[in-house]
Amino acid sequence: MSELPPCPKCQSIYAYEDGSLLVCPECAHEWNPDAGSADNDAKIIKDANGNTLEDGDTVTVIKDLKVKGSSSVVKVGTKVKNIRLVDGDHDIDCKIDGIGAMKLKSEFVKKI
C-alpha cells in the first residue's frame, strides 16, 4: 500500500483517495495531491480601510460594539494589541483590556 500524505489542514494521517482527490475523514478537507504545496486556501483578511491584517498586528475599533450577553460596550478608538486571525464569521481573536477575550469582525477595525 502506498503512503498517502497527511491532511494539509489538520495533519490527520487517515486521508484516503476518492478519484483523483485525497479526502480527510476528520475535517472533511479535500485536496489534489498533484497541485503542489501552493497555499491557495490561505484567506487574506483586510481591515475597514483595505489594509491586509496579520497575526500580531495592533488595531483600533472604528465603531461602538455591544458585547453579547453583557451590558458593556467596546468604544470607538479602543486599541487591541496582538490580534490572532482565525477562520469564521468573526475572523479576529483578541483580548481587550477590561473586557477579556473576544472575537471581532475585521470590518470594524483598522490597522495602526
Side-chain angles (χ1 to χ4, degrees), residues 73-94:
V73 175
V74 179
K75 295 286 190 181
V76 172
T78 301
K79 186 186 272 189
V80 182
K81 298 178 183 178
N82 199 19
I83 65 170
R84 206 172 25 156
L85 303 178
V86 294
D87 289 333
D89 185 32
H90 292 73
D91 41 19
I92 298 174
D93 260 350
C94 61

Side-chain angles (χ1 to χ4, degrees), residues 8-89:
K9 193 170 186 182
C10 71
Q11 301 303 316
S12 171
I13 60 171
Y14 302 111
Y16 62 90
E17 291 181 89
D18 185 20
S20 64
L21 297 176
L22 294 177
V23 180
C24 175
E26 292 184 9
C27 70
H29 180 68
E30 297 180 358
W31 74 99
N32 186 348
D34 300 329
S37 61
D39 285 346
N40 294 335
D41 292 341
K43 183 178 175 186
I44 298 174
I45 298 175
K46 297 188 177 197
D47 69 358
N49 294 336
N51 299 319
T52 303
L53 295 174
E54 297 176 4
D55 286 342
D57 282 346
T58 300
V59 296
T60 58
V61 178
I62 63 169
K63 177 182 175 184
D64 282 349
L65 301 173
K66 295 179 184 177
V67 179
K68 234 180 197 180
S70 173
S71 61
S72 55
V73 175
V74 179
K75 295 286 190 181
V76 172
T78 301
K79 186 186 272 189
V80 182
K81 298 178 183 178
N82 199 19
I83 65 170
R84 206 172 25 156
L85 303 178
V86 294
D87 289 333
D89 185 32

